[in-house]
Amino acid sequence: MKTLFMKKSVWIAAAWLCSLVVGTAQQTEVLPEASEFKDPDTRIWFNTYGNIRISKRLFWDAQTHFRFKESEDTPFIGQIAQIYNRHAIGYIYDKKTNFSLGGVMRINFNTDEDSTDRNVVPEWRIWHQYQFAMPLYSAMIYHRIRIEHRWTQGFEENSNYIFRNRWRYMFRAKIPLNNYKLETNTLYVSPEAELIMQSGKAVVGSVMEDLRLTTTLGYILTPRLTLAGGLMYSHGQTLENPGVFKQSWTVRFHVYFSPDIRRVKNKLPAIHFDD
Amino acid sequence: MVRYLTHVFFQFVFWVFILGHPLVLKSQEQQRYTGSFEIGSYQGDADYAYRLFEADTLLEGPFHMQSSNLDALLKDGDETFVFDGSFKDGEADGFWRFEFGSYTTDGNTRLVDGQYRLNINGTRFEAYGVINQGKPNGQWIFMVNELVNSSLQSNLFRSVISFEKGVPQRNVRIENEKSTLVGRFLRNGLAHDVWSRYDKENTNTSESWVFDEGLLNQITYEDEEGSTETAVFTESQLETKIVALNKAYLNLLNLMGDATVNERAENDIAFLLLQNHGYYQKITDILSHLGKTSFMPEFRVKVPQITKDSAEIISLDTIVDLYAKATLASELLLNNTQLQIIARSDTEVDFLYKALQKIDSDFLQPLKQLKEYHESGITGYLTTELLLQRLFPNGRPTANITVEIEKDGVLSAQTFTGPDAKTYNFESSTVTALEHMARYAQTSADSIASILNKKLASEQKQQELVELERGLIAQIKQLNLVIDSVGSNLPNEVSKTLAAIKKFGENKLQAYTAIQDNDTKVARGTELAECLKELNRLAIVIAGLPEEQRQLKEKYQDAVWNPFMATIMDEAVKKRIMSAYENVLIPYLLLSIQSELSCDNTPQFNKLLEQIHMRMYELRDENTTKLERKLKRERDPQIVLGLFNIQSKK
């Protein structure tokens, strides 16, 4: 299944590149002469990340995000745009490597105040993720590959689901500021960059869905609770027109929690994954 | 039938003969020992036969014991011995031979017929003769020879005496390298007739003792200048008693005669007799260790008895007793070096010490002689006048004991007078005079001893105090060092507590220095030393609290894997216990120490701290779910201590 997607996406990406170089004449009517950048939106996200240990190797990845988008009536905080539920079962390969597989149910709210369409539509995803961590001096570096299979629909009545694949790679660092390592009572700064590519029949030219550049400041309260906040700039091609880019500034707040619901005797030893 | 009866009869006779034979009976019970053996101070290898009689070992049969050590001989010389003889029913019986050698060697060896030969130099003492039922019987020969290169060089001593069941008979011949003594005993062992000694070098010199059935009438001494006759015991004296011719008798003769007797002692008859007696004693001592044998023969003489009334005899016993008491008091003091040192700086001690010395020399030494005479039984043959004369040849002592002492570089005479000096009379010619002397010496020695002992005790106390105070200063220094060296970055309450401990210690020392009386000082100082020891301990624990807490916190952590960071992090566990320790118990203890510290409760604080820390380490590994629930919001230190299972005194 995955290889099929891969093959398909590679083929699509290649086609897109060809169209850029060779077939510009076909789309000159649609594409602007130069990239157009829409005015940036401002958004506020409240994200919770749960990582609930359920056995020696498995954890339950539970994320709930509340995403607000500015509107004309409420300029800054805006109105609720999406409620986002991401769940997965994760497998701890070792201390620095883990994999997850699960589903997403996102509820999209129509933020267009002039729209007469439906106010709420669901969106479904199946996702899998591969995460690798590397220590670097006092900091940690993370590579995250996340692949999502996404079914979306518009707010119009009776609109059909369109299927797309998303290809995401994120590079992130966490650098402790007041400590020599990431541990309790440590303030850290985390620069991150994530490129989200997409593919699918509906995706004709807009393969770069989003490029997110974020800087977050976090504080490790306990090994089981971390709070963080940051600012993200992102931009990407609109699905309708690859020559038009949307932009946004997002203020993000994160709560990371990782309870361990195992019995005490099963917790020990806590760190030895290899035995 | 007849043949059968004859057969039975012969069989009976045969078995009775075999089983009933005394040799068989003996051999059945006799045992033999071969191995190392010890008789008094003699250690060597023995080989002897014995039998067990009612759980006792009874020597029976041949006895052999010897010791010789080639290594010792080659090194510093060897002391050897050989005892050869036999026993019968546990008593020496049969021919015996004793040999003692004291040898050295030049180490030159020769090989003769497959044997190493080594020449020795030294002296050899031999004694041999027959013993019958433990007593010498027949002729006994004792001799001491000098050996040079293993051959006889000279004869140093020789005595030949015949016995009949331990009683000396007929002629006696004793000689050493200087003179020869010839005498004779009656059949009952009493010395009789003329005993003459001839000088080997000077034929003009001779000495003779004339006995009459044991009673020594006269001593005649002859040399170039003529002859001197001394009457000893005259016939007019009535009652006589048979006594042994031994050291005590010779001592008595010494006391009876004039001083010139002593001067000739080196080779006179008395000396030869003593020498002979000594050798017999040596053999007696060895045999007495081996069962019931009493070898010493009975050389007998007669002595006229001086009638002493019972009061006098009791008096002599009392004197001996008083002498023993006085010596007990004086000897320890006279040999006390500490006292001699004090005497140099303390004139009173100097005076008393010298007085005690004089009591010792003027009273106790003569009394010691008297004691020896009394114990050897010769006081019964001496008149009190003679005794007094012999004991105090330079006159009797007086109650006023005058000694010379040095004060500020000037010598002056000072007189010591003992308690109730006037009640004593040393001048009478009865035993009472001696008893008075003994009593006076004893009470005087006692009174001096009580003063000197007090002085000694006080000096020792002074020494003790100096030592004690040196210790106290060292302790307070140590306390200050501990507190001053902890650095300034300690938590406030810890610093305040340490300051309180320091102040407390210094106050205590100040209070101590204000004490005047030495006895109180010793008592308080000892207490204070203990107190400072505990304070030091407390200060070390308090100063170490931050470090202790850090270690505890480290202990109260679990390693946890943080999935978001992908790192291992330490997580504090059992936070309520840690909090109770950190926020309730320790502040409570620090405040208590600051406000209530005393010498009495310091050990309790030490103990409590120790218990709390021990408990904290234990709780880390125990299941504490219940305890943690109970500790929630608990601020009362007593309750927390109770929950921790720690007994607090308060």
Side-chain angles (χ1 to χ4, degrees):
Chain A
M1 187 72 178
K2 201 161 79 183
T3 39
L4 188 72
F5 284 130
M6 292 286 277
K7 275 181 183 168
K8 208 170 184 179
S9 55
V10 168
W11 186 85
I12 288 165
W16 176 67
L17 279 169
C18 288
S19 71
L20 280 179
V21 180
V22 184
T24 30
Q26 292 173 340
Q27 292 178 18
T28 42
E29 298 164 13
V30 187
L31 287 173
E33 279 186 20
S35 294
E36 278 178 16
F37 282 81
K38 287 185 178 176
D39 286 341
D41 290 329
T42 63
R43 304 184 291 194
I44 296 182
W45 293 0
F46 296 95
N47 302 355
T48 68
Y49 299 87
N51 194 316
I52 299 136
R53 193 72 177 273
I54 51 180
S55 80
K56 186 178 168 187
R57 294 267 173 205
L58 298 178
F59 61 91
W60 168 26
D61 195 335
Q63 304 175 11
T64 306
H65 299 179
F66 302 91
R67 296 179 170 178
F68 295 82
K69 191 177 174 185
E70 71 169 352
S71 67
E72 277 169 24
D73 291 349
T74 43
F76 179 67
I77 187 129
Q79 64 172 78
I80 187 88
Q82 289 114 29
I83 293 176
Y84 181 112
N85 269 292
R86 182 188 286 273
H87 293 272
I89 293 298
Y91 176 80
I92 303 165
Y93 177 75
D94 66 20
K95 277 180 272 188
K96 303 211 163 44
T97 316
N98 61 74
F99 314 118
S100 303
L101 172 67
V104 176
M105 189 205 73
R106 195 167 101 160
I107 296 154
N108 294 328
F109 297 92
N110 193 346
T111 51
D112 185 352
E113 278 147 4
D114 303 328
S115 167
T116 53
D117 296 328
R118 288 182 297 179
N119 280 330
V120 184
V121 289
E123 179 187 323
W124 308 95
R125 294 180 198 171
I126 290 168
W127 67 289
H128 38 115
Q129 171 181 294
Y130 313 88
Q131 187 161 256
F132 310 95
M134 296 161 61
L136 181 74
Y137 300 108
S138 60
M140 292 290 286
I141 286 171
Y142 308 88
H143 304 279
R144 189 179 82 186
I145 294 163
R146 184 182 276 181
I147 297 161
E148 292 172 330
H149 314 290
R150 180 187 192 194
W151 290 267
T152 55
Q153 59 175 328
F155 289 107
E156 306 84 32
E157 292 289 347
N158 303 319
S159 63
N160 289 325
Y161 277 105
I162 58 169
F163 173 73
R164 280 176 288 176
N165 291 311
R166 295 179 104 197
W167 314 92
R168 306 173 61 163
Y169 166 74
M170 182 177 81
F171 173 87
R172 169 150 69 186
K174 284 179 183 170
I175 304 153
L177 295 177
N178 64 339
N179 208 332
Y180 61 96
K181 65 173 181 176
L182 294 165
E183 59 177 15
T184 306
N185 297 331
T186 301
L187 187 69
Y188 66 89
V189 65
S190 169
E192 59 180 72
E194 185 175 18
L195 177 65
I196 304 176
M197 307 289 280
Q198 62 177 344
S199 62
K201 278 182 186 163
V203 183
V204 180
S206 311
V207 290
M208 189 181 89
E209 189 190 345
D210 219 4
L211 175 67
R212 294 173 174 177
L213 301 170
T214 315
T215 299
T216 311
L217 209 57
Y219 189 78
I220 304 167
L221 278 169
T222 75
R224 305 195 190 279
L225 184 64
T226 300
L227 299 178
L231 185 65
M232 174 172 86
Y233 168 74
S234 70
H235 72 281
Q237 293 166 305
T238 55
L239 186 63
E240 304 79 37
N241 190 332
V244 179
F245 287 76
K246 61 186 189 303
Q247 304 182 74
S248 65
W249 289 94
T250 310
V251 177
R252 302 168 56 161
F253 296 100
H254 309 279
V255 177
Y256 297 95
F257 61 97
S258 50
D260 191 338
I261 59 170
R262 290 175 299 162
R263 285 178 189 281
V264 176
K265 67 183 171 82
N266 296 332
K267 285 184 187 176
L268 301 169
I271 54 170
H272 302 295
F273 292 116
D274 300 328
D275 41 55
Chain B
M1 189 64 193
V2 174
R3 267 183 70 188
Y4 176 68
L5 281 174
T6 318
H7 175 77
V8 168
F9 174 69
F10 277 110
Q11 276 234 322
F12 175 72
V13 169
F14 175 74
W15 284 114
V16 164
F17 181 78
I18 291 295
L19 294 176
H21 195 276
L23 273 176
V24 172
L25 282 177
K26 277 205 173 146
S27 71
Q28 275 173 349
E29 30 186 293
Q30 206 166 45
Q31 299 182 52
R32 193 170 157 176
Y33 173 83
T34 310
S36 64
F37 195 63
E38 204 176 314
I39 302 174
S41 58
Y42 300 97
Q43 285 181 325
D45 299 314
D47 179 4
Y48 61 84
Y50 68 98
R51 63 189 166 90
L52 290 173
F53 180 72
E54 288 171 357
D56 275 343
T57 304
L58 211 57
L59 292 165
E60 178 83 62
F63 182 95
H64 175 84
M65 180 172 171
Q66 70 94 36
S67 163
S68 57
N69 186 331
L70 182 62
D71 287 342
L73 177 69
L74 291 169
K75 211 174 166 197
D76 306 313
D78 192 21
E79 299 288 325
T80 70
F81 62 85
V82 180
F83 309 151
D84 246 323
S86 59
F87 283 89
K88 190 175 168 189
D89 283 331
E91 260 186 338
D93 198 277
F95 181 78
W96 274 84
R97 187 173 169 280
F98 299 86
E99 184 186 322
F100 303 84
S102 177
Y103 304 126
T104 56
T105 179
D106 55 11
N108 291 329
T109 52
R110 276 180 306 134
L111 197 61
V112 180
D113 294 337
Q115 285 186 319
Y116 274 90
R117 294 255 174 106
L118 192 63
N119 282 339
I120 49 174
N121 303 319
T123 54
R124 182 172 66 202
F125 164 46
E126 286 170 276
Y128 52 87
V130 173
I131 298 178
N132 189 6
Q133 292 180 334
K135 292 286 184 190
N137 203 32
Q139 194 180 63
W140 269 82
I141 296 177
F142 280 62
M143 54 184 177
V144 181
N145 290 319
E146 190 185 2
L147 302 182
V148 174
N149 282 331
S150 292
S151 47
L152 185 66
Q153 176 78 11
S154 60
N155 181 250
L156 301 179
F157 179 87
R158 183 179 160 91
S159 100
V160 182
I161 306 174
S162 295
F163 300 93
E164 195 168 320
K165 290 180 181 167
V167 181
Q169 306 285 318
R170 298 183 295 276
N171 294 332
V172 172
R173 188 185 174 90
I174 302 170
E175 59 182 304
N176 62 18
E177 70 265 53
K178 283 184 179 152
S179 45
T180 308
L181 168 68
V182 179
R184 122 177 142 84
F185 285 105
L186 293 174
R187 288 196 72 81
N188 57 8
L190 282 169
H192 187 62
D193 222 342
V194 183
W195 287 50
S196 304
R197 177 181 67 82
Y198 305 101
D199 204 305
K200 285 182 178 174
E201 290 155 10
N202 193 345
T203 47
N204 293 328
T205 309
S206 69
E207 181 189 2
S208 45
W209 290 13
V210 182
F211 288 98
D212 179 15
E213 294 193 5
L215 193 68
L216 179 59
N217 288 340
Q218 178 185 305
I219 295 176
T220 310
Y221 189 76
E222 226 169 278
D223 56 17
E224 293 93 337
E225 293 161 18
S227 72
T228 328
E229 286 182 11
T230 315
V232 188
F233 302 117
T234 50
E235 301 247 5
S236 64
Q237 284 155 321
L238 290 169
E239 288 257 336
T240 56
K241 199 183 171 192
I242 294 175
V243 297
L245 200 178
N246 59 13
K247 199 178 172 186
Y249 175 76
L250 296 171
N251 259 338
L252 177 66
L253 290 187
N254 252 350
L255 291 169
M256 300 290 301
D258 56 14
T260 52
V261 175
N262 287 321
E263 284 169 23
R264 302 196 304 261
E266 265 306 299
N267 58 348
D268 63 4
I269 291 176
F271 182 78
L272 278 165
L273 288 172
L274 262 181
Q275 227 182 339
N276 186 55
H277 189 266
Y279 289 128
Y280 269 88
Q281 188 65 50
K282 193 177 171 102
I283 304 303
T284 305
D285 288 345
I286 291 165
L287 288 173
S288 69
H289 278 104
L290 296 168
K292 51 188 177 176
T293 307
S294 161
F295 178 77
M296 185 53 101
E298 296 159 36
F299 305 110
R300 289 171 184 162
V301 283
K302 271 187 191 164
V303 186
Q305 213 166 356
I306 308 287
T307 9
K308 285 210 156 51
D309 59 28
S310 58
E312 278 179 313
I313 293 167
I314 292 170
S315 201
L316 281 168
D317 290 339
T318 313
I319 290 164
V320 169
D321 191 42
L322 287 169
Y323 163 78
K325 281 182 186 159
T327 318
L328 197 71
S330 69
E331 236 170 35
L332 277 176
L333 289 169
L334 288 175
N335 294 330
N336 190 316
T337 48
Q338 178 88 19
L339 200 59
Q340 288 167 31
I341 293 164
I342 303 170
R344 287 182 191 175
S345 55
D346 187 328
T347 45
E348 194 196 353
V349 173
D350 189 31
F351 166 61
L352 291 172
Y353 186 79
K354 281 180 175 153
L356 192 60
Q357 274 180 324
K358 203 149 169 32
I359 289 171
D360 184 60
S361 64
D362 290 3
F363 289 83
L364 297 177
Q365 291 307 323
L367 289 172
K368 185 182 175 189
Q369 283 250 284
L370 177 62
K371 175 183 170 249
E372 278 163 14
Y373 297 156
H374 186 55
E375 281 171 354
S376 64
I378 59 174
T379 45
Y381 314 112
L382 286 165
T383 58
T384 310
E385 290 92 341
L386 189 62
L387 199 57
L388 279 162
Q389 208 180 314
R390 291 286 180 258
L391 289 175
F392 304 101
N394 304 322
R396 301 181 204 176
T398 64
N400 293 330
I401 296 155
T402 305
V403 292
E404 270 198 341
I405 59 158
E406 194 185 321
K407 194 174 183 183
D408 304 325
V410 183
L411 280 174
S412 64
Q414 205 172 332
T415 303
F416 171 86
T417 316
D420 308 322
K422 289 197 178 106
T423 60
Y424 297 102
N425 176 14
F426 305 155
E427 294 305 323
S428 80
S429 54
T430 59
V431 178
T432 320
L434 283 166
E435 194 189 329
H436 276 202
M437 283 182 213
R439 202 171 288 283
Y440 181 68
Q442 192 260 324
T443 52
S444 299
D446 257 11
S447 76
I448 291 175
S450 74
I451 300 169
L452 288 182
N453 279 330
K454 255 182 221 157
K455 288 265 186 187
L456 266 179
S458 134
E459 177 67 21
Q460 270 158 5
K461 200 158 269 180
Q462 195 67 37
Q463 287 287 324
E464 221 174 280
L465 208 56
V466 168
E467 208 49 43
L468 184 67
E469 285 178 358
R470 197 175 293 152
L472 291 179
I473 299 297
Q475 279 180 307
I476 202 93
K477 270 187 185 165
Q478 176 65 25
L479 183 65
N480 288 345
L481 188 71
V482 167
I483 293 171
D484 295 339
S485 63
V486 286
S488 52
N489 52 356
L490 285 180
N492 194 24
E493 284 305 320
V494 171
S495 303
K496 269 162 82 178
T497 309
L498 286 176
I501 293 171
K502 184 175 169 178
K503 187 143 186 278
F504 176 77
E506 275 165 358
N507 284 346
K508 278 276 158 191
L509 191 66
Q510 247 169 23
Y512 166 79
T513 47
I515 299 169
Q516 296 295 328
D517 176 48
N518 271 3
D519 284 343
T520 321
K521 269 196 152 180
V522 170
R524 290 285 166 75
T526 315
E527 285 167 21
L528 183 56
E530 187 56 33
C531 183
L532 286 175
K533 195 176 120 199
E534 289 288 336
L535 282 178
N536 257 315
R537 229 180 107 194
L538 187 64
I540 289 167
V541 175
I542 299 292
L545 269 182
E547 173 60 19
E548 183 74 52
Q549 284 180 345
R550 194 190 62 72
Q551 284 180 8
L552 266 179
K553 274 191 175 169
E554 222 165 66
K555 180 91 179 148
Y556 272 71
Q557 275 179 344
D558 260 346
V560 172
W561 183 68
N562 182 322
F564 298 107
M565 307 294 160
T567 54
I568 304 289
M569 288 182 189
D570 288 327
E571 181 187 37
V573 292
K574 302 191 178 185
K575 286 182 197 156
R576 278 187 194 151
I577 293 174
M578 194 39 136
S579 161
Y581 165 79
E582 240 180 341
N583 303 322
V584 181
L585 294 182
I586 292 302
Y588 157 73
L589 273 170
L590 292 182
L591 288 176
S592 300
I593 291 169
Q594 285 169 34
S595 58
E596 304 167 14
L597 189 62
S598 73
C599 281
D600 291 337
N601 64 20
T602 314
Q604 288 162 26
F605 282 126
N606 274 327
K607 196 178 168 209
L608 200 53
L609 275 161
E610 192 184 317
Q611 283 180 320
I612 288 171
H613 286 128
M614 211 170 74
R615 200 72 194 105
M616 283 298 287
Y617 281 103
E618 287 170 359
L619 286 172
R620 172 63 177 95
D621 301 322
E622 286 176 13
N623 180 1
T624 51
T625 327
K626 253 188 190 166
L627 172 65
E628 285 175 78
R629 199 162 53 235
K630 284 180 189 165
L631 280 174
K632 191 178 180 184
R633 281 195 288 278
E634 186 54 70
R635 304 295 303 173
D636 185 335
Q638 293 305 330
I639 293 177
V640 172
L641 284 174
L643 290 172
F644 271 38
N645 251 336
I646 292 171
Q647 301 285 321
S648 163
K649 281 270 167 73
K650 282 182 255 171

